[in-house]
Amino acid sequence: MFFHIVLERNMQLHPRHFGRNLRENLVAKLMKDVEGTCSGQHGFVVAITGIENIGKGLIRDGTGFVSFPVKYQCVVFRPFKGEILEAVVTMVNKMGFFAEAGPVQIFVSNHLIPDDMEFQSGDMPNYTTSDGSVKIQKDSEVRLKIIGTRVDATEIFCIGTIKDDFLGVINDPASV
Amino acid sequence: MGILDTMQTRVWVVLYWYSEQIRSTSNRRRLLLRSLPPFSGTDKGISRKEWPMSDKGGKGFTLPNGKGVKSTPLKDAPLKDSSAKSKKARNVQFSSQGSKSDKSAPASSKANSGKGGKGDSGIGGKKEQEPLQLKVENELPKGAKCLMDCEAADILQGIQEQMVILSKDPTIKLPVSFDRGLQYTKKSTHYTDPESVRRVLENLKTYGVTDGEICVIANVYPETADEVFALLPSLKARRIMLDDPVNDVLSELAKLKKSA
């Protein structure tokens, strides 16, 4: 889910950026460095909403770079274990299906799909119940529960389940 | 002539030896400089690639163990640390219920974990981490404000509008995750007014419902109280106390729901 959080970072600035626009350059560099990254603790930094404080710069020994501690507010997206999310299915195969919720990819293994749903291969691979009433295919919206997360260099990847109560397809694209 | 030759060769030998000496000292200097630690102020607050392998002694220890579903208690510590240090060690933070390599896990363990998925304290007790109950506050720094999807949609929309103005500068670009986040929030807004939703759900706080749980309720938009308690097992324990307030909140939310 989304959070509004205050983070701190030490930004290094080359002396060529000093001058009247020092702060603007610092903020631009911060945005370039931080927006779109993700970390295990905070999740995805989706957007920076404001700068709280820029501390005094400290010249580094041996180089001319100056280090500024910057406190900034940002919106982060972090999935949690036990969280319920609504995601859009992006790919279906016989091992399970992939879904996307915001910047996060979620995989639901076929072991965590209810037993009455079977994989149907074909042009549009999907999971269907035995009576054909419920179908999970590409672009279906499903509600799932996250049971595990993994953090990579640039993205967060989760494992989810739809085997519990009140989880599963919300919106069947075929009926839309 | 013969003597000159020997003299010449001797000179060459001496010069060669001398140049070797110089080369070896400069090599030594280079080696010394390389062995110095990098300047501490390098601007790599978030990236993980530069962390040396030996820095976290547990890395070699946790990685192979992290893949195993049958966890020993020893693994609990690195698995717990990994939530804080996962940027250093690319640990797989899966709980014992959802195994990482789902392809290889036997079906029976999955069936059991499916049943135990609703916050089974037996399995949860093995690990120090949450038994699939939403424990947002523990993992984020204090002062993190939980945002409902509708609130986040407003904020991100505002930022996007600003970007339209700033887009004259070609170096400023919004990252892909921003677009995806914005699309996601727009898709899942059920309500007309985020502030009134927040006010309605604040009532639940007096009953001890956490911020994270309130946000999940708002995002998911459950239709019945049964749904709320099924999706949030942490509230089940206090169901008797929470049943009425939850029903009230749900009826209020229904009024605020956007007509599709």
Side-chain angles (χ1 to χ4, degrees):
Chain A
M1 64 185 74
F2 288 95
F3 294 92
H4 201 213
I5 196 175
V6 174
L7 293 175
E8 184 162 359
R9 190 181 162 94
N10 281 330
M11 299 298 308
Q12 290 229 314
L13 209 57
H14 190 278
R16 82 168 87 98
H17 301 298
F18 294 174
R20 243 181 328 177
N21 298 329
L22 175 86
R23 296 212 142 196
E24 280 80 12
N25 289 331
L26 199 57
V27 170
K29 186 154 196 278
L30 178 75
M31 286 173 61
K32 222 171 15 158
D33 280 357
V34 162
E35 275 186 354
T37 57
C38 78
S39 81
Q41 204 186 5
H42 312 122
F44 271 98
V45 176
V46 174
I48 295 181
T49 51
I51 309 286
E52 215 169 77
N53 178 40
I54 299 181
K56 292 199 175 139
L58 197 62
I59 306 179
R60 311 305 310 173
D61 280 346
T63 67
F65 282 85
V66 174
S67 177
F68 293 88
V70 182
K71 266 204 193 137
Y72 57 98
Q73 296 163 348
C74 52
V75 173
V76 297
F77 183 80
R78 191 193 145 161
F80 278 91
K81 275 188 229 176
E83 188 181 341
I84 314 289
L85 274 185
E86 291 175 9
V88 174
V89 177
T90 51
M91 190 173 92
V92 181
N93 62 33
K94 67 177 192 311
M95 306 305 307
F97 64 84
F98 284 88
E100 215 174 71
V104 159
Q105 290 269 336
I106 306 165
F107 177 67
V108 180
S109 155
N110 57 5
H111 298 294
L112 295 171
I113 296 176
D115 299 326
D116 59 348
M117 299 197 85
E118 299 268 312
F119 176 67
Q120 318 282 343
S121 54
D123 222 9
M124 276 282 259
N126 59 69
Y127 279 87
T128 317
T129 45
S130 37
D131 57 1
S133 56
V134 182
K135 213 189 222 186
I136 299 179
Q137 58 187 15
K138 189 164 184 280
D139 297 331
S140 310
E141 286 182 22
V142 290
R143 186 191 285 173
L144 42 83
K145 179 190 264 202
I146 296 191
I147 55 174
T149 56
R150 186 184 84 185
V151 180
D152 219 340
T154 51
E155 60 175 354
I156 301 182
F157 187 77
C158 303
I159 296 273
T161 175
I162 54 169
K163 218 168 186 180
D164 288 345
D165 293 334
F166 298 105
L167 299 178
V169 175
I170 310 165
N171 199 358
D172 192 357
S175 64
V176 171
Chain B
M1 276 286 280
I3 298 171
L4 273 174
D5 276 339
T6 49
M7 281 296 290
Q8 241 179 356
T9 41
R10 268 194 218 150
V11 165
W12 281 119
V13 164
V14 165
L15 280 173
Y16 181 76
W17 174 85
Y18 190 65
S19 67
E20 275 299 308
Q21 289 298 308
I22 293 176
R23 220 176 296 144
S24 66
T25 46
S26 60
N27 278 342
R28 229 178 292 142
R29 208 183 310 136
R30 248 178 264 136
L31 280 170
L32 277 173
L33 282 171
R34 222 182 294 159
S35 68
L36 274 178
F39 291 116
S40 55
T42 47
D43 186 15
K44 308 261 185 233
I46 285 181
S47 77
R48 280 166 291 287
K49 290 182 191 151
E50 279 74 21
W51 287 110
M53 296 287 280
S54 58
D55 184 32
K56 181 166 188 242
K59 181 164 189 212
F61 167 72
T62 54
L63 257 182
N65 289 338
K67 288 188 197 225
V69 177
K70 322 276 182 252
S71 55
T72 65
L74 234 109
K75 271 196 288 276
D76 296 348
L79 275 167
K80 174 149 181 133
D81 290 341
S82 67
S83 67
K85 294 185 196 166
S86 61
K87 57 181 178 171
K88 281 195 201 174
R90 296 181 189 187
N91 260 334
V92 176
Q93 294 187 25
F94 295 128
S95 65
S96 58
Q97 281 110 334
S99 79
K100 176 224 168 205
S101 76
D102 27 76
K103 283 121 190 157
S104 55
S108 55
S109 77
K110 282 290 166 110
N112 287 338
S113 61
K115 270 185 247 153
K118 290 189 204 171
D120 183 357
S121 56
I123 297 177
K126 236 203 254 174
K127 297 162 55 62
E128 293 170 38
Q129 283 208 322
E130 56 273 48
L132 271 194
Q133 296 191 8
L134 199 54
K135 282 203 188 138
V136 161
E137 279 73 16
N138 300 352
E139 299 197 13
L140 279 178
K142 268 188 252 176
K145 186 175 171 255
C146 218
L147 289 176
M148 296 185 291
D149 284 352
C150 39
E151 290 170 335
D154 280 346
I155 296 177
L156 294 179
Q157 185 70 36
I159 292 176
Q160 201 193 35
E161 279 157 14
Q162 282 179 1
M163 284 316 297
V164 168
I165 301 168
L166 294 171
S167 64
K168 293 172 199 153
D169 184 350
T171 54
I172 299 180
K173 254 188 306 184
L174 283 172
V176 170
S177 55
F178 178 86
D179 284 330
R180 290 213 194 128
L182 182 60
Q183 273 172 23
Y184 172 73
T185 52
K186 277 195 179 154
K187 199 172 25 83
S188 55
T189 42
H190 314 284
Y191 308 109
T192 48
D193 183 16
E195 280 179 24
S196 14
V197 176
R198 177 60 73 167
R199 251 179 286 133
V200 163
L201 288 168
E202 290 291 311
N203 295 336
L204 280 180
K205 266 206 183 150
T206 54
Y207 294 94
V209 182
T210 62
D211 233 354
E213 289 160 351
I214 287 178
C215 286
V216 169
I217 294 177
N219 295 340
V220 154
Y221 185 61
E223 285 168 10
T224 60
D226 281 337
E227 210 174 321
V228 174
F229 293 111
L231 295 175
L232 293 167
S234 43
L235 297 180
K236 243 194 204 165
R238 294 173 286 150
R239 182 161 188 166
I240 308 159
M241 209 173 64
L242 291 171
D243 216 5
D244 284 334
V246 164
N247 277 321
D248 290 338
V249 162
L250 290 177
S251 51
E252 290 288 317
L253 286 179
K255 288 183 211 156
L256 292 168
K257 185 170 162 69
K258 232 190 242 182
S259 50

